[in-house]
């Protein structure tokens, strides 16, 4: 069978303008809870797309760690490729894909740093190995091999042998502040339901609209 012949129908649910919240964060919270209820593996995993100042794109999977009316938060090394791109071009796109529910959520918006308090609080909640790793790794930097990384980790373990690992100055949170959020529900014959929220009114409200599949 060729790749072109691989297909399946989507027929798990429907999405209607009359049934959604007027607030996309409320709607996202409902969908996220349903993904957890359905035991979707790695429901917090999301594709993060960024671009250079010249518009060259890159994408990778990161984990959602918080969301509220202010936006969607993830944590990373500020010196990474995504950190450099967000500093030069502070806009991003997020995509959640929950195959078990035939659902996607697409988010676009500006990006800013989470507060130092948020970064500190989350960093302190991480397992010890992850905290040590944030110090040992210079994310996206070319290294000569795995042995070099493990040697750096041993050095960091010796430095913080008492287990008190502080927040690195090069590590913390970003918040994607949405200006558009689209909810996608797979439907039969590829006639999918797509409901998009667009921020308007000086950021005080949302317009809800249906998109053609």
């Amino acid at each position: 069978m060729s790749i072109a012949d691989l297909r399946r129908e989507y027929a798990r649910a429907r999405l209607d303008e009359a049934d959604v919240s007027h607030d996309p964060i409320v709607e996202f919270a409902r969908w996220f809870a349903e993904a957890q209820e359905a035991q979707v593996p790695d429901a917090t995993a999301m594709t993060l797309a960024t671009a250079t100042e010249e518009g060259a794109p890159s994408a990778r999977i990161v984990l959602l760690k918080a969301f509220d009316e202010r936006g969607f938060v993830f944590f990373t090394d500020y010196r990474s490729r995504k950190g450099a791109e967000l500093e030069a071009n502070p806009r991003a796109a997020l995509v959640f894909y929950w195959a078990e529910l035939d659902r996607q959520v697409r988010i676009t918006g500006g990006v800013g740093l989470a507060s130092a308090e948020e970064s500190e609080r989350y960093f302190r909640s991480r397992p010890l190995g992850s905290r040590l790793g944030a110090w040992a790794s210079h994310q996206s930097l070319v290294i000569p091999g795995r042995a070099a990384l493990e040697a750096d980790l041993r050095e960091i373990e010796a430095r913080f042998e008492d287990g008190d690992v502080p927040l690195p100055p090069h590590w913390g949170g970003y918040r994607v502040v949405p200006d558009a959020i689209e909810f996608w529900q797979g439907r039969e014959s590829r006639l999918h339901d797509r409901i998009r929220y667009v921020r308007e009114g000086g950021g005080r409200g949302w317009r809800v609209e249906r998109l053609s599949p």
Side-chain angles (χ1 to χ4, degrees):
M1 181 181 290
S2 73
I3 292 176
D5 292 327
L6 295 174
R7 61 174 57 86
R8 67 179 176 87
E9 280 289 359
Y10 301 98
R12 297 181 195 276
R14 57 182 293 173
L15 181 61
D16 193 278
E17 302 94 308
D19 299 328
V20 301
S21 170
H22 292 294
D23 184 335
I25 305 303
V26 172
E27 191 66 18
F28 180 85
R30 182 174 71 83
W31 274 37
F32 185 71
E34 290 174 0
Q36 290 179 298
E37 254 180 57
Q39 298 183 338
V40 172
D42 298 319
T44 61
M46 57 188 184
T47 301
L48 165 68
T50 57
T52 65
E53 202 169 9
E54 295 74 31
S58 61
R60 75 290 286 162
I61 303 297
V62 299
L63 300 179
L64 177 70
K65 289 301 177 182
F67 72 91
D68 56 24
E69 68 282 354
R70 297 173 297 166
F72 297 79
V73 177
F74 64 93
F75 294 86
T76 191
D77 190 324
Y78 297 142
R79 305 167 301 178
S80 63
R81 177 175 177 177
K82 56 185 161 313
E85 290 178 351
L86 288 171
E87 183 175 358
N89 182 7
R91 290 192 59 78
L94 303 173
V95 181
F96 293 87
Y97 178 53
W98 298 319
E100 293 78 4
L101 299 174
D102 295 339
R103 285 177 170 177
Q104 293 184 73
V105 182
R106 301 172 60 195
I107 300 162
T108 56
V111 182
L113 292 178
S115 70
E117 292 76 19
E118 289 173 293
S119 294
E120 178 78 33
R121 183 167 58 251
Y122 173 68
F123 186 78
R124 292 290 182 182
S125 77
R126 303 180 91 206
L128 176 61
S130 297
R131 282 179 280 145
L132 291 168
W135 279 94
S137 171
H138 187 143
Q139 196 176 106
S140 303
L141 187 72
V142 174
I143 58 176
R146 179 78 188 185
L149 179 61
E150 291 174 350
D152 288 342
L153 178 58
R154 288 193 295 272
E155 181 184 324
I156 293 300
E157 287 173 333
R159 189 193 309 180
F160 301 119
E161 61 182 350
D162 63 355
D164 184 16
V165 186
L167 174 69
H170 56 262
W171 196 96
Y174 289 96
R175 177 175 283 104
V176 179
V177 181
D179 50 40
I181 303 180
E182 179 190 325
F183 295 84
W184 180 100
Q185 178 70 62
R187 296 292 301 275
E188 300 91 338
S189 304
R190 300 300 188 263
L191 295 176
H192 311 304
D193 288 328
R194 297 174 63 189
I195 302 296
R196 181 173 65 185
Y197 294 76
V198 180
R199 198 183 290 273
E200 62 180 5
R204 292 187 295 275
W206 296 89
R207 181 174 75 252
V208 183
E209 54 197 11
R210 175 175 284 270
L211 301 180
S212 174

